[in-house]
Structure formats: C-alpha cells, structure tokens
Amino acid sequence: MKLTLTLTILLAVVIGGCNCKIVQFIFGDSLSDVGNNNFLSKSLARANLPWYGIDYGNGLPNGRFCNGRTVADIIGDEMGLPRPPAYLDQSLTEDVILSNGVNFASGGGGILNETGGLFIQRLSLYKQIELFQGIQDLIREKIGSKDANKFFQQARYVVALGSNDFINNYLMPVYRDSWTYNDKSFIQYLVDTQRSQLTLLHSLGARELMVFGLGPMGCIPLQRVLSTDGQCQDKTNQLALAYNKATNELVVELSNTLANASYKFGDAYDVVNDVITNPGNYGFSNSDSPCCSFGKIRPALTCNPASTLCSDRSKYVFWDEYHPSDSANQLIAKELIKKLGFLKPNQTDASPPTPALGPSSDDDAQ
C-alpha cells in the first residue's frame, strides 16, 4: 500500500510539472551585493571585514556593504519573497535557485563594462546577465524548458545600478569616459546601454521588473569630504536627477512596448534628499558623515576593524563613506513600496501587509 501511494505521488509530480515558488533575481552594485565580491579574490571592493554586518544575523561580515540589510532585502521581505543568495556562494544549487532565486549584484559594478575598473574585479551588468543565462541553462536541465520558462516569467526582477557609472567612472579623470562624453551624451550612453540590457532580460523571461533610481549621490560622505566646503556637490546631484528622468522615460517606454512587461521605476531621490537636509524629522542625528570611520582621518574608503563606530547606528543616515545605514535603507524601502504599491504574490489590495524583518540587535559585537 505504501509503495502504491509513493508511486502515485511521484507520478502526480511528473504529470503536474514544477510547482515553482516565486523568487527574485537581483542585478546590482554594492547597494545590493550580498557577498559576490567576497569570492572575487582580487577585488578591491569587498565587505569582508568588521564592522560590516554588525546588525545582521550573527553580526559577522556577510558581503553586504552595510551594518544590516539592503533595500532589496527589505522590499523582498515586505513582498514575502525569500532573500536570494549570492551567485558565487558555494552552496548555490539548482534546488536553492528554485527556492530562493539568485543575487548577482557586485560592488563596483556598473551599467557600463568599463565602470569600476580601479576595483580590478567586479561584475558589470552585462556580466551579471551572462551569469543569469547560465543559471537558466541549469534550471532547464533540471525541470524542463516549459516549467523553466514559467519559473523565470513569474519571478521578480530588480536592476539597481548606475551610481558607479558616475562616481567610479565619468566623474573620475582617470577614466576615458570622463573626457569622451559631456553630461548629456554620457547619460544618453547609459540609457541606450540600459535599453539593450533590459530588453535582453525581457527576452530571458523578465516580466515583472523594477529599476532603482539614483539618490542624491553628491551628498554621500565621500563626495562631501572631497568638496571644498564640506557641502553636497550640486553637479553630481544634477547628474542623478537627469539620469533618473531619462531612465524613468525608458522604463515607461519598455513597459508599454515589450510583451506582457510590467516594468517600474523606483525613485526615492526626493525623500532621501529630505532626510539628508532635515535628518531630525526622520529620527536621525547625522546625515553628513559615516557611522564607521577613522574619525577626522577622511576619506576612509572602507570600514574595517580599526575603524571607530558611532554610538548609535540607528541615528546615522550613512554607514560608511558610500553606503546608507540599515535605518536609512528601511526608510528608502518604505518609500519605494509606498510609491509603487508592491503586493505579495497572490495578494490583493485588501490584504494587510506583513512587516519587514528587522536586523538583529547585536551591539555586543562592537
């Protein structure tokens, strides 16, 4: 009797196909990296030392360039989606991919292949898409083309790059792009490249996709400390605004022209700018310097064991010279969720949302 029941169940699985979960595939830079660069032995952009990760899980470095969660982590939690592991994580298998998706994000990566060259090793967006194509081959071999197509088409996609294309490319004279283009032509170069990339992702099954816009990157601590007066660099912020406008128009165009595409543009520029300008209104006490630093010795390009931490990490907008803190990421994620009306898979507007998982409180690790 038991043998008959087992055979019946197995036969039902074969006939019914793959009852696949809805997962995320994330493409991005250090704002979304969850450990890929830790496996790039020559990369100069790695979050593999304390105090990165101090407010996440066991408090040890995990590859996130933050003290806690990324924006993508928090949005995924709100949507009830599993957090996808890093592509280069050695525990990644076909079963893990089917259950959790994959995060391809890489610190220092950009829309353009040439971006971030000074970091030596990083994964550009085109390289991340190439790796995604390899993942697709593995899944097709495991569950068949029909079920694989369904799996990839019902997945959620995040594309979150662009800041490095300015800060670690166009705005640095050592890069050829800085003297080959002007502001307008460089943004057009980015948009044209991204059009090809997003269209390619659509051909690979991406139907529900969100493109993250840029924040006021002229106000990150690194840009301030490199300015003459310690204030935000207006030119850099104007580039971010121009990029956001052009990319929003691109996303609307693609969503209207690509078959069954639901592409959205996530713009949190205004709220982040207001947080930086009026931090006290949002519960922050500092919005111009990093929580993890060498004190007056700046810029400290990375957080490390010799760094000094601020007394209350929840009160700082920025974790290091480049990246927002967990508290700031929570605020950014909430703004994007509010603007774009994200719902869980199979959730209706009437269904109550589930709060995002917070970071662990691990102050003892200091």
Side-chain angles (χ1 to χ4, degrees):
M1 180 65 181
K2 183 180 292 186
L3 179 60
T4 303
L5 179 60
T6 302
L7 289 174
T8 301
I9 293 172
L10 289 174
L11 185 60
V13 170
V14 172
I15 294 174
C18 174
N19 184 21
C20 297
K21 294 175 62 176
I22 295 178
V23 301
Q24 296 183 88
F25 293 101
I26 297 174
F27 304 85
D29 53 26
S30 58
L31 294 173
S32 305
D33 192 347
V34 296
N36 281 310
N37 278 27
N38 282 359
F39 296 96
L40 299 178
S41 61
K42 297 179 181 178
S43 177
L44 299 181
R46 291 193 285 174
N48 60 340
L49 296 172
W51 303 99
Y52 288 109
I54 188 173
D55 293 311
Y56 188 103
N58 60 10
L60 298 176
N62 56 68
R64 288 170 173 80
F65 289 76
C66 184
N67 59 309
R69 302 159 296 171
T70 68
V71 170
D73 282 334
I74 298 165
I75 291 177
D77 291 346
E78 286 281 358
M79 295 174 66
L81 297 172
R83 294 182 184 177
Y87 169 80
L88 293 175
D89 191 314
Q90 296 175 351
S91 65
L92 191 73
T93 64
E94 290 92 333
D95 288 334
V96 171
I97 295 166
L98 289 167
S99 297
N100 297 279
V102 183
N103 185 318
F104 300 93
S106 171
I111 295 166
L112 306 175
N113 290 338
E114 61 264 32
T115 289
L118 292 181
F119 295 122
I120 302 178
Q121 278 188 304
R122 76 282 180 218
L123 305 176
S124 68
L125 181 50
Y126 267 128
K127 182 62 178 180
Q128 293 177 36
I129 296 173
E130 178 186 325
L131 297 175
F132 176 55
Q133 289 174 297
I135 289 291
Q136 291 199 321
D137 293 339
L138 291 175
I139 297 302
R140 286 195 177 92
E141 289 180 13
K142 184 171 182 66
I143 65 175
S145 292
K146 181 179 178 181
D147 287 327
N149 289 341
K150 178 182 177 183
F151 171 68
F152 289 113
Q153 288 182 14
Q154 70 183 11
R156 305 294 188 262
Y157 295 79
V158 172
V159 176
L161 304 94
S163 60
N164 285 315
D165 293 289
F166 292 99
I167 293 173
N168 290 302
N169 185 353
Y170 179 65
L171 293 173
M172 293 185 69
V174 296
Y175 287 96
R176 181 177 179 180
D177 287 348
S178 68
W179 69 79
T180 303
Y181 300 94
N182 59 35
D183 293 355
K184 184 176 180 180
S185 63
F186 183 70
I187 289 173
Q188 190 60 52
Y189 176 30
L190 287 176
V191 171
D192 289 343
T193 303
Q194 201 160 30
R195 175 182 285 104
S196 299
Q197 293 164 334
L198 297 179
T199 303
L200 175 56
L201 282 172
H202 180 270
S203 74
L204 297 172
R207 296 297 181 265
E208 294 201 30
L209 179 148
M210 183 174 73
V211 178
F212 284 4
L214 301 182
M217 55 189 183
C219 294
I220 65 173
L222 176 69
Q223 288 287 297
R224 283 181 182 265
V225 79
L226 294 178
S227 70
T228 57
D229 58 3
Q231 300 301 308
C232 298
Q233 298 208 31
D234 184 64
K235 176 187 176 180
T236 308
N237 284 346
Q238 291 303 315
L239 287 170
L241 287 169
Y243 168 84
N244 285 352
K245 181 177 184 295
T247 304
N248 181 49
E249 292 171 355
L250 169 65
V251 171
V252 170
E253 171 198 325
L254 294 179
S255 195
N256 288 334
T257 56
L258 297 176
N260 301 314
S262 176
Y263 284 13
K264 297 180 179 180
F265 181 69
D267 185 359
Y269 183 99
D270 288 343
V271 71
V272 175
N273 191 54
D274 195 45
V275 170
I276 291 170
T277 305
N278 304 294
N281 293 349
Y282 298 86
F284 294 100
S285 61
N286 185 298
S287 63
D288 59 12
S289 56
C291 173
C292 185
S293 72
F294 286 112
K296 294 182 179 180
I297 303 175
R298 295 183 58 204
L301 298 183
T302 186
C303 183
N304 64 56
S307 302
T308 301
L309 299 187
C310 59
S311 59
D312 188 345
R313 298 186 286 277
S314 69
K315 299 297 184 182
Y316 273 63
V317 173
F318 291 99
W319 166 245
D320 62 13
E321 299 280 7
Y322 290 92
H323 306 100
S325 65
D326 178 274
S327 296
N329 283 339
Q330 172 75 32
L331 189 147
I332 295 167
K334 285 178 64 177
E335 177 70 9
L336 293 175
I337 291 167
K338 181 176 71 175
K339 279 189 173 182
L340 299 177
F342 287 120
L343 298 174
K344 295 181 181 180
N346 304 319
Q347 180 184 336
T348 65
D349 289 322
S351 304
T354 302
L357 298 174
S360 64
S361 179
D362 201 359
D363 289 340
D364 292 340
Q366 263 197 62

